[in-house]
Amino acid sequence: QISTDATNLTKALEGSSKTQGDWGEMILERILELSGLEKGREYLVQEFLRDSDGTILKNEDGSKMQPDVVVSYPDDRKVIIDSKVSLVAYKRFSVAESKEEQEAALKEHVGSIKRHIDGLSKRNYPDFTQSLDFVMLFVPIEPAFMVAMHHDPELWSYAYTRRVLLISPTNLIAALKLVADLWKREYQNRHAIEIADTGGALYDKFVGFVDALG
């Protein structure tokens, strides 16, 4: 599996921006599938945001609101995840032969992530849906995430002040496991309530039956 993923990553690095984007979304979906959450129930992929009447919501610029993923919490809150891949500059950084080339590519890599942060922030997703007061910006390559954070320690704060959380595969796995555990507890509570209600109804019927005999 690691060998296959490495091959796919190499192809993505050498491909077009669309190929890179599709690869990033594939990684995001794979993590979601392995999280214990169920597609179509606890999370939705590439769904348009709609109002209570079912009308597709549009941003101030008239564009339709279609995040990559919407994850639901038991309290009817949601968190929106968008996958953004900045591979071009990161590829140059990975293959650079001199320190100067590395520094230039790394600066461009961080700049690219900041542009994605700004673009995602301007969509104002939290203002259009019952979501948490931030969106997650998923960087699917752990080393690309780590090297950017190391190069610019203020990058996380830069995103957070714009209501964006930068998140890597490792961070996302942990966050989704927490959500899955919340849902597990929610379903257990619902089942307990259903059992209690059923037991109460049976008791009432039994009391009625006894009263009828008397």
Side-chain angles (χ1 to χ4, degrees):
Q1 185 63 53
I2 292 173
S3 176
T4 301
D5 286 346
T7 301
N8 291 336
L9 173 57
T10 300
K11 290 179 179 178
L13 285 168
E14 295 174 349
S16 64
S17 295
K18 185 179 186 308
T19 301
Q20 295 172 2
D22 291 344
W23 179 82
E25 291 171 11
M26 180 194 71
I27 297 299
L28 175 56
E29 281 208 58
R30 181 179 297 174
I31 292 174
L32 284 161
E33 290 167 359
L34 296 174
S35 68
L37 299 174
E38 183 174 325
K39 185 177 181 179
R41 188 175 67 178
E42 285 93 31
Y43 72 91
L44 302 172
V45 177
Q46 295 289 342
E47 292 283 338
F48 289 107
L49 299 184
R50 301 174 184 272
D51 61 19
S52 57
D53 297 324
T55 303
I56 295 176
L57 296 173
K58 295 183 179 180
N59 213 325
E60 295 176 356
D61 61 2
S63 60
K64 295 179 179 179
M65 309 288 279
Q66 188 185 27
D68 289 337
V69 172
V70 178
V71 178
S72 297
Y73 282 73
D75 62 354
D76 291 330
R77 303 288 285 177
K78 296 173 173 54
V79 62
I80 289 172
I81 307 174
D82 246 34
S83 173
K84 292 293 179 251
V85 186
S86 304
L87 297 176
V88 177
Y90 177 69
K91 178 190 176 183
R92 283 205 295 272
F93 166 78
S94 301
V95 300
E97 297 181 354
S98 69
K99 186 174 180 60
E100 290 75 15
E101 290 176 331
Q102 278 191 334
E103 285 294 324
L106 190 50
K107 183 178 180 180
E108 186 177 342
H109 173 53
V110 172
S112 178
I113 292 178
K114 284 186 174 180
R115 287 192 293 275
H116 285 310
I117 291 169
D118 293 339
L120 186 55
S121 177
K122 289 177 182 178
R123 295 180 192 177
N124 296 318
Y125 282 133
D127 296 337
F128 288 86
T129 186
Q130 195 175 5
S131 70
L132 303 179
D133 196 33
F134 58 82
V135 295
M136 290 183 176
L137 176 54
F138 177 62
V139 182
I141 304 173
E142 195 84 27
F145 173 86
M146 294 301 295
V147 74
M149 298 291 282
H150 180 74
H151 180 76
D152 186 353
E154 299 299 319
L155 184 59
W156 196 91
S157 297
Y158 179 89
Y160 187 74
T161 57
R162 289 158 178 78
R163 299 197 296 176
V164 176
L165 287 184
L166 280 176
I167 194 161
S168 70
T170 301
N171 301 143
L172 182 60
I173 289 169
L176 293 178
K177 285 296 183 182
L178 176 59
V179 177
D181 185 65
L182 290 174
W183 274 113
K184 182 179 179 181
R185 294 173 185 272
E186 173 70 14
Y187 292 136
Q188 287 174 342
N189 290 337
R190 289 181 187 179
H191 291 157
I193 292 172
E194 289 173 3
I195 291 171
D197 289 344
T198 302
L202 288 173
Y203 174 78
D204 291 341
K205 287 183 179 181
F206 178 73
V207 171
F209 175 71
V210 171
D211 289 343
L213 288 178

